[in-house]
Amino acid sequence: MNPQPETSVLFSRQEIEATVNRLASELNRDYHRKHPILIGVLKGSFMFMADLIRLLDFPVEVEFIRLSSYGGGKESVGKIKVVHGLRTPIKGRDVLVIEDIVDTGRTINFLLEYLRRKRPASVKLCALTDKPSRRQIPVTIDYLGLTVPNEFLVGYGLDWDEKFRNLPDMCVLEGEE
Ligand code: 5GP
Ligand code: MG
């Protein structure tokens, strides 16, 4: 069996909690009296989504969408496709996309264009982390948690080869360059 690569903590669970609290306050301020559809991008955003929505004090609907672009490794490969699409109409609705990390921007740019074609009333992006050093396509992040360095992150929902999603802290994967 391959040995598990080492991980080191970048953001502790306490830092993540404080960040999620702050994002929830911003959303509670801006979505007061609204009734948005939150769309989580699977799989990485599931833990963030679960923690975030418990702090929201306006009515929310929760949907998930799954896109494919990554193989098993650390680089986005090839064309982005919708693997599991929306099961509910979003025309005329306020849409809030919940993403784990914006890296090159290719995935989120594709998704935002896909959603806008369905003519929602608004589309905003809430991302837990941003890795701006790797950006290829400009992306406006309306609600941003943490800016991260050019490292491969795992934990708090993020995987490497489907492993490490269960780590409660956000960690850097070591020695896998
Ligand atoms: P992008 O299309 O912006 O390059 O990549 C976005 C997606 O790639 C993210 O939603 C995430 O699923 C994955 N990704 C980007 N950077 C990382 C990272 O450091 N760690 C993990 N586990 N996934 C990443
Ligand atoms: Mg993702």
Side-chain angles (χ1 to χ4, degrees), residues 41-42 44 99-101:
V41 186
L42 289 173
E99 187 45 310
D100 50 3
I101 181 162

Side-chain angles (χ1 to χ4, degrees), residues 41-45 67 70 98-102 107 158 165:
V41 186
L42 289 173
K43 300 178 191 173
S45 71
L67 306 169
Y70 267 52
I98 308 295
E99 187 45 310
D100 50 3
I101 181 162
V102 180
T107 306
L158 288 165
R165 291 193 198 275

Side-chain angles (χ1 to χ4, degrees), residues 70 99-101 103-107 131 151-153 159:
Y70 267 52
E99 187 45 310
D100 50 3
I101 181 162
D103 185 27
T104 64
R106 292 177 65 244
T107 306
K131 212 192 274 181
E151 303 274 8
F152 195 79
L153 306 184
D159 76 306

